[in-house]
Amino acid sequence: MLPDKDHLTLCFAHAAYRLADRFALRGTGIKHFEVRGFDELQTRLHEADVLVVSGLWKNELIDHAPNLRFIQSISAGTDQFSKPLFKERGIRLASASGVNARAVAEHAIALMLALSRRLLEARDNQHKHHWRGMIGDLSRREDELGGKTVLVVGMGTIGHHFSTLARAFGMKVIGIRRHPEQGANGADSIHSVVELTALLPQADYVVLACALTPETEGLINQAAFAAMKPQARLINVARGRVVDEPALIHAMQQGLIDAAGLDVCVEEPLPATSSLWDLPNALITPHSAGETRRYEDNVLDVLMGNLDLLWKNDANQSVQAPLRNQIV
């Protein structure tokens, strides 16, 4: 059972996020501390009943956590956690899925606008103190989102928020989701992933907002790029491995697609030797789509809701309500 509020100890573990600072402002009275690195986490984990963590977690830490009863992941991903081991040790686990959905959707729109309005070129010209003249070549001018078609792969919470924004710009939204029978979720039409290749030629923009699964890994590959319009632009706010990266580099170098806005890459940080850095038609952000000024508070909202559910479940053993984003 989880200790009551007066006897609970929380550990926040992250290299950069200000979780403890934001938590203290809530005035809960719950005892808590924060660690910034793996070694410190390993040393102090025995003090914690509840751990709020993401990238610092290693499964061998479980042997240093005799009191641990619940882990609230800071991120949506939970691949680093051993679910069978957690079940064996009686440790509950929940993700932070959805807490940054609106932010990621806005970031995808920002990448689209930056590419369509040629902001990369404008910034480069600013650094060179160069005022670009008027352009006669239509293909080299700034573009508009209105009237364009966007194909969204992944129509979960992020896809829903993105579709709302895209339609506000006057775009047609074609959605792809694993279970299209669950509804369009904001898209003008909804389809299964097996229809991807047939739908790609319609898209001016392809936005990836899906989870990384065996079905989606390498989904955007050489065949997909061959099916896309030469004027099409790829936006990836999902996971790097959804895209075949060598095929992407080849497609951009050969003009098979116009440009790409990437918040994620196969290897992160992106190696200095990657060809992606030097492609003039690539806009790269450092997996920062969800990192807004509200991120910590959004995670803490999920944490507090799940603590309340755990306490209620302990008080009423006959009725066990599922946690928000429950994994174990």
Side-chain angles (χ1 to χ4, degrees):
M1 294 178 66
L2 195 67
D4 61 36
K5 180 179 176 181
D6 294 332
H7 298 91
L8 186 75
T9 299
L10 284 170
C11 173
F12 297 106
H14 196 278
Y17 289 166
R18 316 306 301 183
L19 288 155
D21 291 346
R22 300 306 302 173
F23 186 73
L25 294 175
R26 298 187 174 219
T28 64
I30 296 174
K31 182 180 177 182
H32 62 278
F33 64 95
E34 189 166 57
V35 299
R36 293 293 182 194
F38 177 81
D39 290 343
E40 188 181 7
L41 175 59
Q42 181 173 276
T43 300
R44 297 198 63 185
L45 187 54
H46 69 278
E47 303 173 40
D49 304 295
V50 173
L51 175 63
V52 185
V53 69
S54 56
L56 290 180
W57 177 260
K58 306 292 183 188
N59 286 311
E60 59 263 30
L61 285 170
I62 205 163
D63 291 328
H64 300 266
N67 300 317
L68 191 60
R69 294 294 175 265
F70 172 53
I71 291 182
Q72 174 65 63
S73 175
I74 298 170
S75 65
T78 58
D79 292 344
Q80 70 271 42
F81 301 105
S82 172
K83 285 75 170 181
L85 184 59
F86 280 27
K87 289 178 181 177
E88 178 187 324
R89 299 292 180 93
I91 297 172
R92 305 296 297 276
L93 171 67
S95 80
S97 178
V99 299
N100 61 1
R102 190 180 302 276
V104 174
E106 290 177 4
H107 196 85
I109 290 287
L111 291 172
M112 290 171 62
L113 285 169
L115 293 174
S116 69
R117 304 306 301 175
R118 304 182 72 93
L119 297 185
L120 293 76
E121 177 186 329
R123 184 69 173 187
D124 290 345
N125 286 338
Q126 179 181 337
H127 287 158
K128 293 182 288 189
H129 297 195
H130 171 69
W131 187 278
R132 190 202 73 192
M134 291 184 177
I135 296 176
D137 184 350
L138 295 180
S139 66
R140 293 183 55 236
R141 288 188 195 170
E142 288 82 356
D143 205 354
E144 303 174 24
L145 296 185
K148 298 292 193 298
T149 296
V150 56
L151 176 62
V152 184
V153 181
M155 286 302 302
T157 311
I158 294 172
H160 168 71
H161 285 300
F162 174 84
S163 296
T164 301
L165 295 172
R167 292 179 71 183
F169 276 94
M171 302 186 79
K172 177 184 177 182
V173 179
I174 302 173
I176 287 180
R177 67 186 309 182
R178 188 175 184 178
H179 299 291
E181 68 276 5
Q182 293 179 352
N185 209 17
D188 292 293
S189 63
I190 195 71
H191 306 267
S192 69
V193 71
V194 297
E195 300 176 76
L196 174 66
T197 304
L199 293 169
L200 282 170
Q202 302 180 39
D204 300 294
Y205 289 87
V206 177
V207 173
L208 307 178
C210 54
L212 178 63
T213 67
E215 185 180 31
T216 62
E217 184 165 3
L219 182 67
I220 306 301
N221 53 22
Q222 184 177 358
F225 288 119
M228 292 169 66
K229 297 179 181 180
Q231 302 83 16
R233 293 159 180 163
L234 176 71
I235 306 294
N236 190 3
V237 291
R239 288 292 184 267
R241 297 209 308 271
V242 176
V243 177
D244 179 337
E245 208 161 87
L248 168 64
I249 292 169
H250 174 78
M252 295 178 71
Q253 289 174 333
Q254 299 301 314
L256 300 181
I257 64 170
D258 181 67
L262 308 172
D263 186 55
V264 290
C265 304
V266 170
E267 185 178 350
E268 297 179 2
L270 183 64
T273 54
S274 172
S275 299
L276 286 173
W277 288 116
D278 300 314
L279 293 174
N281 50 347
L283 174 56
I284 300 167
T285 55
H287 205 151
S288 58
E291 284 190 6
T292 70
R293 299 176 188 183
R294 277 205 50 83
Y295 191 80
E296 284 90 339
D297 287 310
N298 292 340
V299 172
L300 292 174
D301 287 343
V302 177
L303 168 67
M304 294 309 297
N306 279 335
L307 289 179
D308 285 340
L309 285 169
L310 287 167
W311 283 319
K312 288 176 182 176
N313 287 346
D314 285 345
N316 187 359
Q317 295 288 324
S318 62
V319 179
Q320 294 290 294
L323 304 180
R324 178 176 172 185
N325 300 328
Q326 178 175 314
I327 306 298
V328 176

